[in-house]
């Protein structure tokens, strides 16, 4: 660790101003880093500089400040304290104002508060890491994403006992949006619950953990890196306005200035760090959200299991009581139900065929207009869903002509049986899904008990209410996974959707049977049979025609008006690629210099050889093999120095040629659209 004083200032000057052959930093990031190091030096805060070039090929470095825990005597956890890592991207602002962004100022405030705790017992060691190389301008091959974060998590000795908070905010936000899951996993409850005690406006990007578990929403890539490293983490993102679609848990009151100061944010993060439990004993990753207006409650794993067994015991008790009071009637009902159980399989096959057939037809339409399904996005998914609803109406009409004794009882029992199977499957797969099925089971039981059609239809509307809220949450996040599943003919997804739609279908059929058999007064308003068939067919045909017409028109418009992408110009032999070499101990030391006009956003360097897996003795940056092992790609980050000097050591009899590419990106229409590429080759 670098100590404060003369040596620290000398090291700072050496890093920033001495000419290095292979080490340089982006100008914006270097300005922010120099200002940060100046503040740390003036306040006599020890820090460490972590270059990223040798391990990740990134032209930059991270700055780490470590604060040791204050051990509490008599506490067994003090012998193995946890580690809290506060990761902050070190990117300088391009607009006018202070040099350091809000997140970096918050990190400094957090460090000052942690150093002034006056001997208070701390359950964890604190590492505040100001990450270099976090922002990418171009897509494609440019080494590893988030090299600073990867370097920070790789230095943890015991990742199972560590927690990472990633704070990303350029300007002072009005509130903080929390991402707590990625790739089918979520952060443990003991990390999420203390956030609700902070005195700042908070909002959760995803309030349905089932979306993370089903991969319908993918969190930030940062959390994927954190999860792969074996530790838990949260992604905190600044929001400019406390408005929908992300309602705040704690809306600010009585103030016109909604911005959060860096000092306040640092104080609240220190409060959060002091309340964490690093023992890992209560690592609950199967909890659920209970969303209330302006408030969030959590349903823990233990509570969900208790509700499951309580519901099972209550249902079994009611069944035993009913069988004791009306045993002959119960036996008669189940005998009729089992005799007609083949109808459940038939309805299941028809509904699944509706889902799969509609997806197939829509894909053929899109293929006919040469429109890839991702461009259709939510509009196409909504139109396909409407078409499925029309197919369900046709299936309902078909089932109405099948003679079934006691139709209302049959459909009610079928809906309950389906939900029981769903609850058992949820308990076997993941406890997180139990509350969702308990919600559906509650309304299904009510629908099977009601003898009036209106309450039955109300239960049918209440049953998918939670799913509708989850779909809205998916749309608010901008996730495309659910669209790809709907339009992509994903069979497991369609099987699950068939089971959900079938439960609602059975309840609606029960309500329809009650209208026909139990409420004669409602039948006074029925039109004649021919007119009913005509109206029914006209409505179905009109809706289906509008759906197909809208989709075909939408697809034709996209096919004739593709998105504008700036052209890519490739200029050959515009780079100056030179090489000096010397021989030492039967090895060739190659000094490669790449000179590009202007300031390229990225330089890619390749070494093509005639042999597979050529030997590279040494290189200042990482490299990987491609093209059946005949091409060596040297991993370089963005914003390289010009000229770029790289020294590579190869065997004495090595042969091949170097190929360099300089990429110049454009800010319009967006990052990742190359407008210019310069190339050059050099034989070896």
């Amino acid at each position: 660790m670098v100590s404060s004083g003369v040596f620290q200032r000398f090291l700072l000057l050496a890093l920033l101003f001495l000419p290095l052959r292979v080490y340089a930093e982006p100008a914006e990031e270097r300005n922010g880093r120099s200002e940060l190091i100046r503040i740390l030096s003036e306040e006599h805060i020890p820090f460490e500089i972590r270059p990223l070039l040798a391990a990740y090929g990134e032209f930059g470095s991270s700055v780490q400040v470590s604060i040791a825990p204050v051990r509490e005597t008599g506490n067994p956890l003090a012998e193995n304290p946890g580690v809290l890592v506060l990761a902050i991207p070190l990117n300088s602002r391009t607009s006018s104002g202070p040099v350091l962004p809000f997140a970096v100022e918050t990190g400094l405030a957090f460090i000052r508060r942690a150093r002034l705790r006056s001997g208070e017992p701390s359950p964890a060691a604190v590492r505040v890491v100001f990450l270099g190389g976090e922002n990418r301008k171009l897509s494609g091959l440019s080494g590893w994403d988030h090299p600073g974060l990867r370097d920070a998590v790789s230095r943890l000795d015991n990742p199972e006992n560590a927690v990472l908070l990633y704070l990303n905010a350029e300007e002072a936000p009005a509130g903080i949006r929390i991402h707590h899951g990625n790739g089918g996993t979520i952060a443990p409850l003991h990390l999420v619950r203390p956030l609700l005690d902070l005195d700042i406006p908070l909002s959760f990007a995803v309030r349905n953990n089932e979306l993370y578990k089903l991969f319908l929403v993918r969190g930030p890539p940062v959390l994927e890196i954190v999860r792969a490293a074996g530790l838990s983490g949260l992604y905190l993102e600044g929001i400019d306005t406390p408005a929908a679609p992300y309602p705040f848990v704690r809306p600010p009151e009585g103030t016109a200035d909604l911005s959060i100061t860096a000092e306040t944010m640092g104080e609240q993060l220190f409060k959060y760090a002091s309340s964490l439990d690093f023992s890992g004993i209560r690592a609950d990753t199967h909890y659920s959200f209970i969303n209330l207006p302006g408030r969030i409650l959590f349903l823990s794993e233990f509570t969900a299991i208790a509700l499951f067994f309580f519901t099972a015991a209550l249902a079994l008790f009611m069944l035993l009581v009913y069988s004791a009071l009306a045993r002959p009637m119960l036996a008669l009902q189940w005998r009729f139900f089992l005799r007609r159980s083949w109808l459940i399989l038939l309805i299941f096959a028809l509904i699944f065929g509706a889902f799969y057939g509609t997806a197939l037809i829509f894909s053929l339409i899109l293929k006919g207009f040469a429109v890839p399904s991702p461009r259709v996005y939510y509009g196409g998914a909504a139109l396909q869903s409407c078409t499925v609803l029309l197919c369900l109406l046709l299936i309902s009409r078909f089932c109405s002509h099948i003679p079934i004794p006691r139709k209302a009882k049959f459909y009610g029992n079928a809906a309950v049986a389906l939900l029981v199977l769903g609850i058992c499957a949820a308990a076997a797969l993941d406890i997180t899904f139990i509350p969702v099925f308990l919600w559906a089971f509650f309304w299904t039981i009510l629908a099977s008990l009601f003898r009036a059609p209106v309450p039955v239809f109300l239960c049918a509307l209440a049953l998918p209410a939670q799913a509708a809220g989850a779909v809205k949450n998916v749309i608010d996040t901008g996730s495309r996974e659910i669209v790809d599943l709907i339009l992509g003919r994903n069979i497991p997804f369609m099987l699950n959707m068939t089971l959900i739609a079938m439960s609602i279908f059975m309840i609606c059929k029960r309500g329809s049977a009650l209208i026909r058999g139990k409420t004669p007064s409602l039948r006074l308003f029925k039109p004649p049979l021919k007119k009913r068939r005509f109206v029914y067919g006209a409505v179905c045909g009109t809706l289906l025609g509008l759906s197909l017409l809208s989709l075909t028109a939408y697809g034709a418009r996209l096919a004739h008006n593709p998105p504008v992408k700036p052209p890519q110009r490739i200029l050959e032999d515009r780079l100056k690629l030179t090489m000096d070499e010397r021989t030492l101990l039967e090895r060739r030391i190659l000094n490669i210099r790449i000179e590009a006009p202007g300031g390229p956003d990225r330089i890619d360097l390749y070494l093509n050889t005639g042999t597979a897996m050529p030997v590279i003795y040494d290189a200042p940056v990482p490299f990987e093999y491609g093209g059946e092992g005949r091409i060596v790609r040297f991993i370089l980050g963005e914003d390289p120095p010009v000229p770029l000097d790289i020294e590579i050591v190869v065997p004495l009899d090595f042969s091949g040629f170097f190929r360099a590419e300089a990429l110049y990106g454009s800010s319009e229409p967006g990052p990742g659209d190359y407008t210019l590429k310069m190339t050059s080759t050099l034989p070896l």
Side-chain angles (χ1 to χ4, degrees):
M1 181 172 294
V2 180
S3 60
S4 59
V6 178
F7 177 71
Q8 190 179 83
R9 290 182 174 84
F10 175 79
L11 179 60
L12 169 62
L13 292 175
L15 284 173
L16 296 182
F17 300 107
L18 286 181
L20 299 178
R21 295 180 64 92
V22 298
Y23 181 82
E25 302 181 49
E28 296 178 1
E29 196 170 285
R30 183 171 64 247
N31 294 336
R33 184 178 295 102
S34 61
E35 176 66 15
L36 172 65
I37 295 177
R38 183 190 65 81
I39 295 174
L40 294 175
S41 301
E42 289 182 353
E43 299 184 11
H44 304 286
I45 300 175
F47 62 91
E48 179 184 2
I49 297 178
R50 295 281 302 173
L52 304 173
L53 184 65
Y56 301 98
E58 183 66 33
F59 300 100
S61 58
S62 299
V63 179
Q64 176 174 308
V65 177
S66 300
I67 303 175
V70 178
R71 300 182 182 274
E72 183 181 4
T73 58
N75 186 359
L77 297 177
E79 300 299 329
N80 187 22
V83 179
L84 173 67
V85 180
L86 179 59
I88 299 172
L90 187 60
N91 52 334
S92 177
R93 296 177 182 177
T94 56
S95 60
S96 60
V99 176
L100 298 178
F102 173 81
V104 178
E105 294 176 351
T106 299
L108 291 173
F110 180 85
I111 293 171
R112 297 186 187 104
R113 178 62 183 87
R115 287 168 58 87
L116 295 176
R117 53 191 172 194
S118 302
E120 300 174 7
S122 173
V126 176
R127 295 183 185 179
V128 182
V129 187
F130 302 94
L131 308 173
E134 288 297 291
N135 295 328
R136 296 291 189 190
K137 299 178 183 178
L138 305 177
S139 61
L141 299 176
S142 61
W144 290 282
D145 292 332
H146 305 283
L149 178 64
R150 294 179 186 273
D151 178 71
V153 299
S154 66
R155 304 187 65 197
L156 296 172
D157 297 329
N158 188 11
E160 294 80 8
N161 201 27
V163 175
L164 186 139
L165 298 181
Y166 192 101
L167 177 62
N168 187 14
E170 277 283 329
E171 305 288 341
I176 300 297
R177 180 187 304 160
I178 304 169
H179 300 262
H180 68 288
N182 181 280
T185 60
I186 57 176
L189 181 58
H190 70 275
L191 300 185
V192 178
R193 194 192 296 272
L195 291 171
L196 302 184
D197 297 329
L198 303 184
D199 296 327
I200 53 176
L202 297 175
S203 171
F204 284 88
V206 176
R207 293 192 173 193
N208 302 87
N209 289 337
E210 299 82 13
L211 301 179
Y212 283 131
K213 298 284 183 148
L214 294 173
F215 293 89
L216 296 180
V217 172
R218 295 188 180 273
V222 167
L223 295 182
E224 185 175 356
I225 297 174
V226 171
R227 177 178 58 86
L231 66 155
S232 303
L234 299 171
Y235 183 89
L236 309 181
E237 178 185 13
I239 308 178
D240 295 333
T241 172
Y246 302 99
F248 280 91
V249 178
R250 287 177 176 267
E253 299 178 358
T255 176
D257 185 10
L258 301 179
S259 340
I260 303 174
T261 63
E263 290 74 16
T264 302
M265 189 67 192
E267 177 69 28
Q268 294 302 313
L269 289 180
F270 179 79
K271 175 183 176 182
Y272 171 78
S274 302
S275 63
L276 286 180
D277 179 15
F278 289 88
S279 62
I281 300 176
R282 299 190 300 272
D284 182 2
T285 57
H286 301 283
Y287 60 94
S288 303
F289 281 81
I290 300 178
N291 300 306
L292 300 176
R295 189 179 180 186
I296 289 180
L297 300 178
F298 294 104
L299 189 67
S300 65
E301 177 183 6
F302 175 79
T303 307
I305 295 176
L307 284 177
F308 170 74
F309 283 109
F310 174 77
T311 304
L314 182 62
L316 183 60
F317 175 76
M318 294 176 60
L319 181 63
L320 292 176
V321 171
Y322 186 75
S323 62
L325 297 178
R327 183 178 301 174
M329 182 63 67
L330 182 63
L332 181 63
Q333 290 179 8
W334 279 102
R335 186 174 64 183
F336 281 120
F337 178 76
L338 294 177
R339 284 182 178 179
R340 298 291 180 178
S341 58
W342 59 268
L343 183 59
I344 299 178
L345 299 177
L346 176 62
I347 295 175
F348 179 86
L350 291 175
I351 295 178
F352 178 79
F355 276 102
Y356 190 85
T358 305
L360 180 61
I361 292 174
F362 272 61
S363 65
L364 293 177
I365 294 175
L366 295 176
K367 185 177 180 180
F369 285 97
V371 180
S373 57
R375 293 187 191 173
V376 179
Y377 210 45
Y378 291 117
L383 290 175
Q384 181 174 326
S385 302
C386 292
T387 308
V388 171
L389 291 178
L390 293 176
C391 295
L392 291 179
L393 291 177
L394 296 176
I395 295 173
S396 174
R397 188 67 180 175
F398 168 75
C399 294
S400 299
H401 295 284
I402 300 177
I404 303 175
R406 300 177 177 269
K407 281 188 176 182
K409 291 286 187 182
F410 173 80
Y411 288 123
N413 294 336
V416 173
L418 288 174
L419 264 299
V420 169
L421 293 177
I423 292 177
C424 295
L429 293 176
D430 197 312
I431 299 174
T432 309
F433 302 119
I434 288 181
V436 178
F437 281 92
L438 288 179
W439 167 275
F441 183 74
F442 171 76
W443 293 107
T444 303
I445 287 292
L446 288 182
S448 64
L449 295 178
F450 286 131
R451 298 181 179 274
V454 175
V456 172
F457 283 113
L458 291 178
C459 292
L461 292 176
L463 192 147
Q466 196 175 31
V471 171
K472 182 180 180 301
N473 199 175
V474 172
I475 297 176
D476 292 341
T477 60
S479 175
R480 302 184 63 131
E481 276 75 11
I482 189 172
V483 179
D484 297 335
L485 289 174
I486 293 176
L487 299 176
R489 302 197 303 276
N490 186 287
I491 293 181
F493 176 76
M494 290 182 179
L495 289 174
N496 293 328
M497 292 300 297
T498 301
L499 289 175
I500 296 174
M502 194 170 176
S503 301
I504 303 175
F505 179 84
M506 293 295 183
I507 295 178
C508 293
K509 291 299 294 180
R510 172 177 168 80
S512 177
L514 290 175
I515 289 178
R516 295 187 177 185
K518 297 298 181 181
T519 53
S521 58
L522 296 178
R523 302 177 61 180
L524 297 177
F525 302 97
K526 279 189 175 182
L529 180 60
K530 292 184 178 181
K531 187 177 293 186
R532 275 187 288 141
R533 291 178 177 175
F534 174 77
V535 172
Y536 189 86
V539 171
C540 294
T542 302
L543 291 178
L544 183 59
L546 288 176
S547 299
L548 295 176
L549 181 62
S550 301
L551 184 62
T552 52
Y554 185 72
R557 180 170 58 85
L558 284 176
H560 292 90
N561 299 284
V564 179
K565 184 175 181 179
Q568 182 187 59
R569 295 183 58 195
I570 301 178
L571 303 180
E572 302 286 349
D573 300 327
R574 294 297 183 92
L575 298 180
K576 186 177 180 181
L577 184 60
T578 59
M579 178 182 65
D580 295 329
E581 65 174 290
R582 65 184 187 273
T583 303
L584 179 63
L585 299 177
E586 298 184 353
R587 298 184 180 187
R588 299 173 66 183
I589 303 176
L590 310 177
N591 295 318
I592 310 298
R593 167 164 284 198
I594 306 172
E595 299 181 58
D601 291 320
R602 196 176 79 216
I603 292 179
D604 293 336
L605 181 63
Y606 303 88
L607 178 57
N608 295 58
T609 65
T611 59
M613 306 297 291
V615 177
I616 305 294
Y617 288 132
D618 189 25
V621 296
F623 58 88
E624 63 183 9
Y625 293 95
E628 298 181 354
R630 301 178 184 273
I631 300 177
V632 180
R633 184 177 78 90
F634 297 92
I635 299 175
L636 298 171
E638 295 183 353
D639 295 318
V642 179
L644 175 63
D645 296 320
I646 297 180
E647 186 176 86
I648 302 172
V649 182
V650 297
L652 189 62
D653 58 347
F654 197 90
S655 63
F657 66 91
F658 284 99
R659 178 169 57 91
E661 298 178 352
L663 303 175
Y664 299 80
S666 173
S667 59
E668 295 294 337
D673 295 321
Y674 303 147
T675 57
L676 182 62
K677 177 191 290 186
M678 295 186 180
T679 66
S680 182
T681 58
L682 178 67
L684 176 59

